[in-house]
Amino acid sequence: MRKAVIAGSGAGASITALTLAEAGWHVVLLEKGPNYFTDLGKSWPPKTVFSNDNLKLTRNFEQPDPAAYPRTFRSSAGQKSGYYVGAVNELPVAVGGGTIHYGAATPRFWDIDFKQLSMLGPQPGADVADWPFEYSDVAPYLDEVEALVGVQGDDDAVPSDPVLKHAPRAKKYPMSAGPQQRASMLVADGAKSLGLHPYPFPHAINTRPYNGRPVCNNCGFCDAYGCPTSARGSALDLLHRALLTGRVELRPETMVHRVEMKGRRATGLHWIDQHGRTGVERGDVVVLAASGIESARLALLSQLPDPHHRVGKRLMFHYFTSGFGVFLDERLHAYKSWGAETNCMEDFSDPDFTGARDFAKAQGLPYIRGGLCELGGSEEVLAEAQFYQYILGAIQPQQPFGRAFKELMRTSLLRDRLAGIQMLGHDLPYLSNNVTLDPKVRDRHGLPVPRITYAPGKHERVAQEFYIPLITAVLKAAGATASAAVPANTPLMGPTGVIPTTRHVLGGMQMGEDAKTSVVDQWGRVHTTDNVYVMDGGVFATAGANNPTLTIMAVTLRSARRLAGSE
């Protein structure tokens, strides 16, 4: 029996484990974080300690502790000192990876995302490249992943232009769309009045019993929260099925820190557990599926052959823009729904959106792209409260609480009367945006931490300048008393630059045909090895303009089927 050893247990790791196990392989999953799910391989849906709890969100419950596992951040390679040390665009470190607290949004990448260089051309200063396959090659796997995790959507409402024009569908959504959030419908109506094309946002959230999981109860604690009812489709569905084969072992709190190599072949993964015990798990194939940043870090720690210095390069995060509208005359209850927003809009992802080409040309660029807009989100209760205390602390520092604070919370301008638009800005790949090993800072095990170098390029800044007024206009058309839009990371701007918090981590282990300009081939195998594979968002050649999880899983399924020998 062939054996695969996998670092990670999230979106890519879970689908790899399931595919290999069903093909008769023995699979061992080494997960750095804890397991918050009871009897995942037996009872279903699993019991969990997740709950509707704001405090877990703010206390690194499923996130890595930045004191034990920090990252460092700088905005350019020229910044030699004074850079930030702490959390930088972290994903959950726990069984299930990022899918245990994602919003479960599952839109599709477009055809131009896979062939961006061929279809749109180069961009000044960017390292734009094509993927080694096209949309039609991955579309059947997108269909299959939608069925595996259970995706809801409205087949009749998906706009033919631009969405189906660039991402045609062969099959219907496995589930019909759920009830629509009032705030999201309000913003969608504003968009429609301007001639735009919003539609019900595809999500892996149950609108009927599916895969043995219940219907969503619309509690509102979804994006950035663990689901207490298991109504959200995730890597857990795949891990459960994989464990039922009897050929999969899942070992939480076991951190992989090095790939053991003998010539071109990997022989296993070295690990350390929460008690400091160390060991090596050997196998015929090694899979890195720890996220773009952590898989690149593992490759660097292992000194995998990298003659062309491509490992860690072209890191992409999406460059978010946040719009918000305050509706003084009504309460919107934007926090009550399945997901965070129930409508989306992809018009701004189109490089041929009205006026976009001309604006780009005036700025010396061939084109610009915004990104998918999530319509109707609001603020968290604790975040709202902390903001009011900050304001009151500036106005009346002797008492930033009491009657004035209570009245602000009751009125709830920044939660119950607020509806937002979040634009996932298309992020071009730049060689200057990368992950390396920090020369000084170490984690609790004494290992070099990832050093993130990232800054938006001219394309991102110009696209944001073009779309901010349009985002504001949509909110005004929706009836907002006051509206505005700003770069999403504005509160974290400082001498180190904009510290990313998007939780979209792509690139660093780029997929491509040419070993001189990429790290892995079209099936995820590291060019310079015989049996080391990467199965996560690190392989992305472009960032697209949509939420990436569905595409991560589909690309991984394509690669895993090839590895398993089933295709």
Side-chain angles (χ1 to χ4, degrees), residues 69 252-255 271-279 444-445:
Y69 299 104
E253 296 183 299
T254 305
M255 174 183 164
W271 53 264
I272 182 169
D273 70 12
Q274 74 272 30
H275 302 297
R277 293 186 294 254
T278 61
R444 66 180 291 248
H445 302 299

Side-chain angles (χ1 to χ4, degrees), residues 423-461:
M423 185 178 78
L424 283 57
H426 176 63
D427 205 3
L428 289 178
Y430 300 96
L431 293 174
S432 56
N433 289 345
N434 54 64
V435 53
T436 56
L437 299 178
D438 193 279
K440 297 180 180 179
V441 182
R442 300 291 188 266
D443 67 13
R444 66 180 291 248
H445 302 299
L447 298 168
V449 305
R451 178 175 63 184
I452 311 304
T453 305
Y454 177 87
K458 183 176 180 180
H459 167 273
E460 289 70 45
R461 296 191 300 270

Side-chain angles (χ1 to χ4, degrees), residues 39-89:
D39 294 330
L40 186 57
K42 298 177 182 178
S43 63
W44 187 256
K47 296 178 182 178
T48 181
V49 292
F50 280 112
S51 58
N52 297 154
D53 187 348
N54 268 141
L55 291 177
K56 284 190 177 76
L57 180 67
T58 60
R59 293 180 178 176
N60 302 310
F61 183 68
E62 74 274 23
Q63 302 287 99
D65 184 341
Y69 299 104
R71 291 173 174 174
T72 62
F73 177 80
R74 59 184 184 173
S75 56
S76 73
Q79 188 179 336
K80 302 298 183 182
S81 62
Y83 48 80
Y84 171 85
V85 179
V88 183
N89 219 10

Side-chain angles (χ1 to χ4, degrees), residues 344-360:
C344 69
M345 178 180 73
E346 298 188 55
D347 298 69
F348 297 170
S349 302
D350 191 346
D352 293 312
F353 181 78
T354 304
R357 292 269 187 183
D358 290 339
F359 192 85

Side-chain angles (χ1 to χ4, degrees), residues 287-371:
V287 177
L288 308 184
S291 85
I293 290 173
E294 293 299 328
S295 288
R297 180 196 185 200
L298 264 174
L300 293 168
L301 286 170
S302 307
Q303 298 182 327
L304 292 186
D306 182 26
H308 304 291
H309 308 290
R310 301 294 295 192
V311 171
K313 298 291 179 66
R314 306 172 83 258
L315 204 57
M316 299 169 285
F317 292 143
H318 287 149
Y319 195 58
F320 282 23
T321 303
S322 292
F324 54 91
V326 176
F327 295 74
L328 293 178
D329 298 331
E330 56 184 318
R331 291 184 179 271
L332 305 178
H333 310 301
Y335 50 89
K336 294 291 288 183
S337 75
W338 51 265
E341 305 89 6
T342 62
N343 280 266
C344 69
M345 178 180 73
E346 298 188 55
D347 298 69
F348 297 170
S349 302
D350 191 346
D352 293 312
F353 181 78
T354 304
R357 292 269 187 183
D358 290 339
F359 192 85
K361 185 177 180 180
Q363 300 291 328
L365 298 176
Y367 65 88
I368 54 172
R369 296 180 68 192

Side-chain angles (χ1 to χ4, degrees), residues 455-501:
K458 183 176 180 180
H459 167 273
E460 289 70 45
R461 296 191 300 270
V462 171
Q464 198 165 65
E465 182 183 352
F466 177 73
Y467 282 109
I468 277 178
L470 295 172
I471 292 170
T472 304
V474 169
L475 291 163
K476 287 182 178 177
T481 309
S483 61
V486 296
N489 295 91
T490 298
L492 294 176
M493 283 184 177
T496 59
V498 182
I499 301 169
T501 58

Side-chain angles (χ1 to χ4, degrees), residues 11 14-15 18 148-149 234-243 553:
S14 62
I15 207 160
L18 175 61
L148 280 171
V149 299
S234 69
L236 300 177
D237 293 72
L238 311 179
L239 292 172
H240 172 65
R241 280 183 52 180
L243 289 165
M553 299 180 83

